[in-house]
Each structure stands twice: as C-alpha cells, then as structure tokens.
Amino acid sequence: MADVTDAAAPADPFAADPYVLVPAAPPLDEYLRLRRESGLTPKNAEQGTGALTGSWSWCHVRTAEGQVVAMGRVVGDGGWYFLVADMATDPGHQRRGLGRRVLTRLLDDVRARAPHGAYITLVADPPGRALYESLGFRDVAPGATGMVLDLGADAASTAG
C-alpha cells in the first residue's frame, strides 16, 4: 500500500495579519488622535470621555505594536434605536478593509444583543458611503430628511 500523507492544511489567510480587532473603546488619547488624523472634527477630552463611557458598543483596531489605527462605535438605547458614530481609519492604514471589519463587528454586536427590530442609523461622509451601502445601509431620502443641530456652531455665532 502506498504511503498516505495528510494533505497540507490550507494557509490561514489572517496568519500574517498585522492588525488586531478589539471589541472595546480605545484609550482617550488614541480616540482624540485618530479623530483628528482621520479628518473627523477634533474633539476635546471632555467630549471624548463622554463618547468613551456613553456608548453602547465599541470596536477598534490595533497594530501589532499597539497603535490604534481604526475605530467605530454605536450609541444606542439598547431597545430599538442605534447610531453608528466615529468611524475612522488612520490615513496610513486606509484601503485595507479595516473600516469594514470595525463596522461588521459593530453590526454583529447589535444583531446579537439588541431586540429584534433594531433600527440603525448613521451620517455618511462621502468617502464612507460605498462601505455603508455595501453593508445594507440606504439613503433615507426622499421619505425622510437627515438633519443636524450643531450646538458648537450655535454657541460660537451667539457669543458676543
């Protein structure tokens, strides 16, 4: 009888992956840095602390060296309404699927923990639109209109 050898196991496609997905909030300094460097509106430490402690779900991505290079969070009531926020990827690490990993993890968390019928919203900047649409998000217009009230802009315009 001929020698039978085990077929080589298929290579793990993530074995050499230099990134680690962390289902938690990043440290405050990394949150503030990543917002700033990714082009999101910079926030101060007080705002960042509120974001870190007041979110329903978090996910961030670290390099093997520990640098936070992508993040996202969900703000929600735990019942039916959830808002995806702070989706950001360091410019030096973009186009590697990190935003997709973060958003997929966040959506999986809502699916796993929220009651059936959850409603998930977000405000998409133009560069992120294709990602959001590929994961099932759709424009609400013309049936609804997205709106914002920026109290920071309001306070600056009324200061005298």
Side-chain angles (χ1 to χ4, degrees):
M1 184 165 165
D3 285 343
V4 177
T5 58
D6 291 334
D12 178 354
F14 299 107
D17 188 352
Y19 300 105
V20 177
L21 191 69
V22 181
L28 176 62
D29 61 331
E30 292 285 348
Y31 168 78
L32 297 173
R33 178 196 60 78
L34 189 54
R35 278 194 60 90
R36 192 175 52 253
E37 291 180 5
S38 69
L40 296 180
T41 305
K43 299 299 177 191
N44 62 40
E46 183 179 15
Q47 292 166 316
T49 299
L52 294 175
T53 60
S55 296
W56 190 79
S57 183
W58 267 101
C59 183
H60 71 274
V61 176
R62 292 181 172 271
T63 63
E65 296 77 31
Q67 180 187 16
V68 176
V69 294
M71 67 178 180
R73 67 184 174 118
V74 172
V75 180
D77 60 18
W80 71 274
Y81 191 80
F82 301 88
L83 169 73
V84 174
D86 287 333
M87 289 292 300
T89 302
D90 184 297
H93 296 268
Q94 291 177 354
R95 302 276 180 230
R96 299 179 189 182
L98 301 180
R100 177 174 297 279
R101 285 190 200 180
V102 168
L103 185 54
T104 298
R105 167 61 177 80
L106 292 172
L107 296 176
D108 287 349
D109 192 30
V110 173
R111 286 182 184 104
R113 296 194 299 137
H116 180 73
Y119 184 81
I120 306 169
T121 66
L122 57 80
V123 174
D125 291 328
R129 186 175 180 124
L131 167 63
Y132 303 133
E133 288 176 342
S134 75
L135 291 173
F137 286 88
R138 60 178 170 71
D139 196 330
V140 297
T145 301
M147 302 176 97
V148 64
L149 174 61
D150 185 345
L151 296 181
D154 185 47
S157 67
T158 59

